[in-house]
Amino acid sequence: MSRKRTLPDVYRSRKRVCATPANHSSQEALNTNGVDWNDGESSNHIDNSIVPNDTSCALAYLKNLFPVEKFEGRLPPIILQHQLYAIVSNRTLVDQQLMELRNCGKIKLFKLGSEASEFCVLYADDYKSHVRKFIQNMSLNQAVIEKFLTSVVDQCQDISLSKHKLMTELKFKDEEVTQLVKACVLTVRDVGSWWMAFPGAGIFMKSFIRGRKAVLMMIRKCKYKEIIREELKSRKLPRIARLGMEYHIHDLIGADLVECVPTTSGMLLRLQE
Amino acid sequence: MLRFVTAREIGSILPSYLVKVETTRRIFSVELSTHFDVQKIHDAAINSLDIDLVEDRYLLSGAGNGTIVIHDLHNITGLPHCTYPEVCHVGRGNRNRHKYSVETVQWYPLDTGMFVSSGMDKLLKVWDTNTMRTADEFEFSAGIYTHHMSSTATQHCLVAVATGSSKVKLLDLKSGSATHTLRGHRQTVFSAMWSTRDEFILATGSRDSKVMLWDVRCAKGAMMVLDQHNGDTSAGSNSVNTAHSGHVNGVCFTPDGLHVVTFGTDHTLRIWSTATGQNTMVNFGRVTNESKRSVKMTISGGSKPQLVFVPSVSDILIYDLVSGTKVSTLRGHYNQVNCCTFHRAYHDLYSCGNDRNILIWKPLLDTTLAYDEFLHNGSKSKEDRTNSFVRRIGTADSWSSDED
């Protein structure tokens, strides 16, 4: 147990690199009964709309990793929330920025399956184009879906919808709701409530679970149940796992299924019991 | 720190700022104390601890075989090492003891003359400390996991009891009977805690993955059902909203009462705002929770940022409440840790577990380091010791090392 733990910078014993303006503000902060509030001030001057934040960059990178061509266009690029934790180290920051992006309407979050809390992130535009492509192939009432896309998807940022909201607030009828469930945009959660969903989730989950199992098996077979990241990347996945090794590595690290240990030969991934 | 003391003297900082800063430094440096110990009386797994709020002096502990022990935490000898003695205990011979395990013990908030214990024998007992006999007993329909009395209540004297049946009962100690039954949960209620800010707000966590906030003056039902996804809070969705994806083991209010921290078997810790019921989305990562009963966490109020001490398997994890980063892991127990409680004045952490130990975690002070060094030097030969002793008299400073 190390005796030195990172104390919050209460003693301000380290000299500030910035010039006098910061010093004046820190003196003021000393007089106000609290910790220095001006730490993050310089970053506010950056125009947030131009420079994408950490989470958006990570999302864009992961979107590129997703092999859309392997699924013959049946799936949009899907990113899992915990993959972002593997790239950006501060998890709370990732959560907060995801919240901001959701409120702007740029991305949508979906809850996958019944296991714990696996959320997947889809870009809003990808989601809408995917849904429209899906319903063209099936003989469904397109007007209902369009109404859903404009009223619910654009305005409502929740993961699940209740009967009260759908029927009374948004004026969807029972048959329309059935159509939506048939179109795989809604999944039954409980008696009067539904999860938001996207069509093709099953195909994705099958590939994903198989791939994850295969990668974990690979690590488990290693001596001491650990492997260097570069070596794992060079190994080939079986045909059923179509998502690619990089995608799965990010997933395993973010979900805390493997522990990252920095070594002199690179990053070591050790299986967590 | 001396710079701060001077600044306070000349008036450039407020005195409370110095207090806050020094408290934060002490709380952040908490580690297992090798010089302070608690007299070993328990011979069964210890389930619960409580320190009285009146003098911060007595430590009450309840064990798995129904025994309850009280230790005195005042170190009046002035020595840098001490074994806190036992004051009295409810042993195996006591006629009034619990037949099965004691799950929760709590001092009466206003007076150490009374304490309340509850356990798996479905009984809640009110004890008179001076005679160590029960003054009153209440029976329930199922084993009691937690009970809690509000420390800020002036208008009521209610004990909230979380039982194995899905009802939360409120007991009035003045009249001696159960006054309310709060219905809302569908399975065992594992934990309950009164708000530290409002004397009428109660938070309960249950096996059905729900955390409910109750206003006990209101007859209608739960005030809020916390939703982990922060979805819409219409009337219909209350029945499906879950706070965790597993059982909710521990519920704890922050000392200012503005937030409530919940711990679940889905290995997550969540912080909620008490006013709005929103999940603050602070991500603590995976906090392993293998407990099948209620887990008693504690939050240090004096430091900024506030720290939460969470018992996780056989360690105690310390997390920063604001950012969610792990400050440290306290390793010391051999088996599962059941409860940890914080001493407000000394900034010590007391923890107990299934390994029958009560461990004390104290802040790392200069006096501790100096005493360690003194003991280490004490192992040298006699002439060296007398030489160093003589030299020390000359310098008139008994804590400085003679080697540097």
Side-chain angles (χ1 to χ4, degrees):
Chain A
M1 198 182 343
S2 61
R3 283 188 163 188
K4 286 205 171 109
R5 287 192 201 132
T6 41
L7 269 182
D9 193 16
V10 286
Y11 286 94
R12 230 168 277 112
S13 50
R14 290 175 228 123
K15 291 208 169 91
R16 288 214 179 278
V17 182
C18 331
T20 10
N23 277 338
H24 284 317
S25 49
S26 66
Q27 282 298 323
E28 277 173 44
L30 276 178
N31 289 331
T32 65
N33 183 20
V35 195
D36 187 17
W37 300 113
N38 299 310
D39 262 334
E41 212 180 63
S42 52
S43 61
N44 290 341
H45 299 306
I46 302 171
D47 192 354
N48 287 330
S49 58
I50 299 177
V51 179
N53 55 25
D54 284 343
T55 317
S56 332
C57 296
L59 274 174
Y61 165 68
L62 287 166
K63 177 180 167 173
N64 267 338
L65 271 188
F66 188 87
V68 191
E69 60 288 344
K70 290 229 182 108
F71 291 98
E72 298 119 21
R74 280 187 294 167
L75 281 183
I78 300 171
I79 305 134
L80 291 159
Q81 190 186 12
H82 54 258
Q83 285 175 325
L84 293 168
Y85 299 150
I87 301 178
V88 183
S89 50
N90 187 348
R91 291 181 181 212
T92 313
L93 189 71
V94 170
D95 284 347
Q96 284 170 349
Q97 286 176 344
L98 271 182
M99 223 29 195
E100 276 171 45
L101 287 170
R102 272 170 84 186
N103 292 337
C104 292
K106 291 211 187 106
I107 59 168
K108 295 207 68 66
L109 233 63
F110 297 97
K111 185 164 192 295
L112 277 181
S114 53
E115 327 94 47
S117 36
E118 297 208 344
F119 291 104
C120 66
V121 181
L122 254 75
Y123 278 92
D125 305 319
D126 287 337
Y127 174 66
K128 283 192 264 196
S129 55
H130 173 71
V131 171
R132 288 191 181 114
K133 197 159 67 171
F134 183 76
I135 56 171
Q136 266 168 9
N137 297 339
M138 306 188 61
S139 56
L140 288 166
N141 191 347
Q142 302 212 352
V144 174
I145 313 289
E146 279 304 322
K147 180 180 167 192
F148 179 78
L149 283 177
T150 48
S151 58
V152 181
V153 173
D154 282 337
Q155 282 141 30
C156 171
Q157 305 302 335
D158 295 331
I159 294 177
S160 82
L161 292 169
S162 67
K163 193 169 176 178
H164 171 83
K165 179 145 189 170
L166 266 184
M167 306 272 204
T168 47
E169 276 183 39
L170 298 164
K171 310 273 188 296
F172 275 89
K173 295 191 277 288
D174 256 334
E175 312 82 54
E176 295 183 329
V177 176
T178 324
Q179 293 271 322
L180 290 173
V181 176
K182 253 175 109 180
C184 304
V185 225
L186 286 181
T187 311
V188 168
R189 174 186 181 180
D190 198 5
V191 176
S193 102
W194 295 270
W195 292 117
M196 300 273 286
F198 57 92
I203 309 169
F204 169 71
M205 278 312 281
K206 186 170 165 186
S207 245
F208 172 69
I209 290 180
R210 291 234 180 116
R212 193 192 240 194
K213 244 180 163 173
V215 181
L216 281 175
M217 186 68 71
M218 260 191 235
I219 307 182
R220 208 169 285 143
K221 275 205 222 140
C222 295
K223 192 178 184 192
Y224 306 120
K225 300 199 177 34
E226 55 190 23
I227 187 171
I228 299 277
R229 193 172 172 164
E230 268 57 43
E231 201 186 317
L232 188 61
K233 268 193 238 179
S234 63
R235 300 240 186 128
K236 280 186 66 174
L237 272 178
R239 290 263 327 256
I240 30 160
R242 295 184 273 180
L243 288 167
M245 186 54 97
E246 268 289 348
Y247 192 88
H248 281 296
I249 292 180
H250 284 303
D251 159 55
L252 289 182
I253 299 175
D256 286 332
L257 290 168
V258 292
E259 191 190 330
C260 274
V261 182
T263 63
T264 47
S265 356
M267 189 64 85
L268 184 74
L269 303 174
R270 184 180 292 146
L271 202 64
Q272 295 264 46
E273 309 85 39
Chain B
M1 178 167 147
L2 290 177
R3 190 163 47 96
F4 277 86
V5 175
T6 326
R8 182 184 66 164
E9 233 178 80
I10 62 177
S12 63
I13 62 167
L14 290 173
S16 52
Y17 188 69
L18 170 64
V19 171
K20 201 100 187 176
V21 154
E22 189 55 26
T23 313
T24 309
R25 177 156 70 169
R26 283 172 65 110
I27 295 176
F28 266 75
S29 69
V30 149
E31 64 169 41
L32 188 59
S33 167
T34 41
H35 306 302
F36 288 88
D37 202 0
V38 147
Q39 188 182 2
K40 290 221 181 326
I41 306 285
H42 280 290
D43 55 358
I46 310 172
N47 287 334
S48 173
L49 290 176
D50 191 36
I51 300 179
D52 71 295
L53 290 171
V54 187
E55 294 177 277
D56 290 315
R57 181 173 177 170
Y58 297 104
L59 178 70
L60 180 64
S61 50
N65 60 356
T67 53
I68 299 171
V69 180
I70 302 177
H71 289 93
D72 179 356
L73 298 179
H74 264 195
N75 176 16
I76 46 176
T77 56
L79 291 172
H81 61 273
C82 180
T83 300
Y84 296 125
E86 167 238 357
V87 176
C88 52
H89 67 277
V90 172
R92 288 218 202 94
N94 193 317
R95 262 184 312 162
N96 301 124
R97 72 174 181 95
H98 282 275
K99 300 254 173 339
Y100 299 131
S101 73
V102 176
E103 292 290 320
T104 318
V105 283
Q106 192 191 6
W107 285 107
Y108 180 56
L110 305 170
D111 195 331
T112 50
M114 182 169 116
F115 63 90
V116 183
S117 70
S118 65
M120 278 296 143
D121 55 350
K122 307 181 191 174
L123 291 174
L124 183 124
K125 292 181 196 262
V126 181
W127 297 81
D128 174 354
T129 325
N130 294 310
T131 55
M132 281 317 237
R133 283 213 289 263
T134 46
D136 210 347
E137 253 179 45
F138 300 91
E139 185 161 0
F140 292 87
S141 53
I144 305 169
Y145 282 98
T146 322
H147 75 263
H148 194 249
M149 259 188 288
S150 173
S151 46
T152 53
T154 50
Q155 294 186 42
H156 69 81
C157 206
L158 296 172
V159 183
V161 183
T163 64
S165 69
S166 52
K167 302 190 281 266
V168 179
K169 290 219 159 166
L170 296 179
L171 226 55
D172 186 1
L173 289 179
K174 275 197 229 150
S175 61
S177 61
T179 54
H180 289 60
T181 303
L182 302 174
R183 280 174 218 279
H185 285 296
R186 299 218 184 108
Q187 289 182 31
T188 312
V189 186
F190 276 128
S191 56
M193 186 164 174
W194 289 96
S195 162
T196 42
R197 178 174 269 251
D198 280 307
E199 50 186 340
F200 295 109
I201 308 282
L202 176 69
T204 54
S206 135
R207 199 155 185 245
D208 60 1
S209 320
K210 297 208 185 115
V211 174
M212 294 194 185
L213 282 177
W214 309 83
D215 183 336
V216 297
R217 295 168 293 190
C218 173
K220 247 197 307 181
M223 189 172 76
M224 273 194 253
V225 178
L226 302 182
D227 179 20
Q228 56 178 310
H229 304 302
N230 280 344
D232 59 342
T233 47
S234 55
S237 54
N238 268 352
S239 56
V240 256
N241 288 341
T242 55
H244 280 267
S245 310
H247 314 320
V248 182
N249 273 351
V251 167
C252 188
F253 273 90
T254 54
D256 56 12
L258 295 173
H259 295 280
V260 58
V261 181
T262 59
F263 191 29
T265 51
D266 58 345
H267 310 293
T268 52
L269 204 61
R270 294 216 161 97
I271 307 184
W272 313 80
S273 156
T274 326
T276 57
Q278 295 284 317
N279 183 353
T280 53
M281 298 292 192
V282 177
N283 196 324
F284 291 91
R286 189 192 152 96
V287 186
T288 317
N289 184 353
E290 307 273 324
S291 174
K292 306 254 180 313
R293 301 178 301 200
S294 71
V295 167
K296 295 169 177 66
M297 311 177 275
T298 184
I299 298 177
S300 73
S303 61
K304 190 182 178 97
Q306 295 183 350
L307 299 178
V308 57
F309 298 90
V310 185
S312 163
V313 197
S314 56
D315 306 326
I316 301 169
L317 304 175
I318 311 181
Y319 284 95
D320 176 344
L321 267 190
V322 176
S323 64
T325 48
K326 177 150 64 161
V327 170
S328 147
T329 307
L330 299 177
R331 279 180 240 271
H333 278 282
Y334 300 125
N335 211 324
Q336 188 182 321
V337 184
N338 288 327
C339 173
C340 50
T341 182
F342 197 71
H343 193 296
R344 293 180 305 182
Y346 300 155
H347 313 118
D348 301 335
L349 184 71
Y350 293 84
S351 63
C352 66
N354 284 351
D355 59 348
R356 310 173 186 184
N357 282 333
I358 297 178
L359 291 181
I360 307 178
W361 311 80
K362 281 195 180 267
L364 186 65
L365 299 172
D366 292 331
T367 45
T368 332
L369 287 170
Y371 186 62
D372 276 337
E373 229 173 305
F374 174 68
L375 287 178
H376 172 70
N377 288 344
S379 61
K380 285 199 240 161
S381 68
K382 205 169 179 188
E383 302 94 79
D384 281 337
R385 251 189 291 160
T386 41
N387 282 345
S388 55
F389 186 65
V390 164
R391 239 186 293 156
R392 244 186 253 123
I393 287 179
T395 58
D397 179 3
S398 54
W399 294 125
S400 62
S401 160
D402 49 316
E403 268 150 3
D404 298 349

